[in-house]
Amino acid sequence: MADAGTEALRIDVDDRHVTISHVNAADLTDEVASAIRAYSLALFRQRFSESTRRDITPVKVSRGARPRTHRSLAEMYGTRAVEFASPVNSITFETADLTAPQPHAPGLSAHLRRHARQSLDEAVPLRDWLDVFRATLRTALDEETPTLRDAARRMALSTRTLQRRLDDHRTSWTEELQTVRREHASTCSRPPA
């Protein structure tokens, strides 16, 4: 599960290379954010290797921050070609490695591409961050009188970060609380069905 408000995934494909870039702009400590970014890139390599039933070695890995130790990265990524101080965290593979026919499952690639296209065409957008916040606020209102501090705690954010995120969505704590209270009052005043 990811927060579309703070995370982005970009895939660039050309004749020779496929580059997957992961950006996580969440308000996390450097160590936590760095670990998430490192893990997400390694997970792509692991899943590609599992699905092809052979070790897929990236051409290069680009990281924004240098970790305390570099030894474990070579094992995690399957290569020593790890660059640091990159503006974007990314992992690059040979296109041929990812598009090679699967001898253990002939025709599977074409079937999966069709399925992926169909799934994307029929996909229902996930709720955005503000919808998740409002659902959290409704739950808090059902249980108690919600406070900014309580809502921030429920969403694992600092109160200041919660206020910034609300401001990013052109709303405020007071506006959202009033809206949820009005909805709650309206629901409670309706006769039972």
Side-chain angles (χ1 to χ4, degrees):
M1 182 145 172
D3 181 351
T6 61
E7 294 192 56
L9 186 67
R10 190 179 76 222
I11 302 174
D12 298 307
V13 180
D14 63 33
D15 293 337
R16 295 187 56 220
H17 298 111
V18 175
T19 300
I20 302 170
S21 303
H22 176 250
V23 177
N24 182 323
D27 190 14
L28 304 169
T29 66
D30 288 339
E31 285 186 30
V32 172
S34 183
I36 290 170
R37 292 173 185 128
Y39 175 76
S40 68
L41 297 178
L43 188 60
F44 289 118
R45 177 186 173 263
Q46 178 185 347
R47 294 296 186 226
F48 291 151
S49 293
E50 288 171 355
S51 68
T52 59
R53 295 187 183 171
R54 62 189 187 348
D55 191 35
I56 301 291
T57 302
V59 175
K60 73 175 181 179
V61 176
S62 299
R63 296 275 315 273
R66 180 178 293 278
R68 291 186 183 145
T69 175
H70 184 206
R71 277 182 237 114
S72 62
L73 292 182
E75 182 180 325
M76 184 165 63
Y77 296 127
T79 184
R80 290 189 178 277
V82 181
E83 301 173 350
F84 298 102
S86 172
V88 176
N89 296 285
S90 65
I91 188 164
T92 302
F93 300 95
E94 293 283 347
T95 301
D97 283 341
L98 302 183
T99 58
Q102 305 300 312
H104 59 278
L108 180 61
S109 294
H111 175 72
L112 290 175
R113 270 195 224 71
R114 279 193 307 275
H115 178 70
R117 256 187 252 113
Q118 181 182 0
S119 295
L120 288 172
D121 290 344
E122 297 171 357
V124 175
L126 295 175
R127 299 184 320 174
D128 69 2
W129 181 88
L130 190 57
D131 291 333
V132 172
F133 168 76
R134 287 174 176 158
T136 301
L137 190 54
R138 283 184 203 100
T139 302
L141 186 62
D142 289 341
E143 297 171 4
E144 58 192 66
T145 302
T147 64
L148 177 65
R149 174 182 276 153
D150 179 55
R153 181 187 53 76
R154 286 172 181 259
M155 296 196 65
L157 300 171
S158 70
T159 55
R160 183 64 195 121
T161 299
L162 176 57
Q163 289 172 320
R164 277 195 302 269
R165 295 292 299 275
L166 289 169
D167 189 53
D168 291 345
H169 286 84
R170 293 178 166 71
T171 188
S172 69
W173 164 254
T174 305
E175 289 175 44
E176 291 302 315
L177 184 58
Q178 288 174 351
T179 299
V180 169
R181 283 180 172 158
R182 272 194 305 273
E183 290 172 1
H184 186 72
S186 172
T187 303
C188 290
S189 65
R190 283 190 212 134

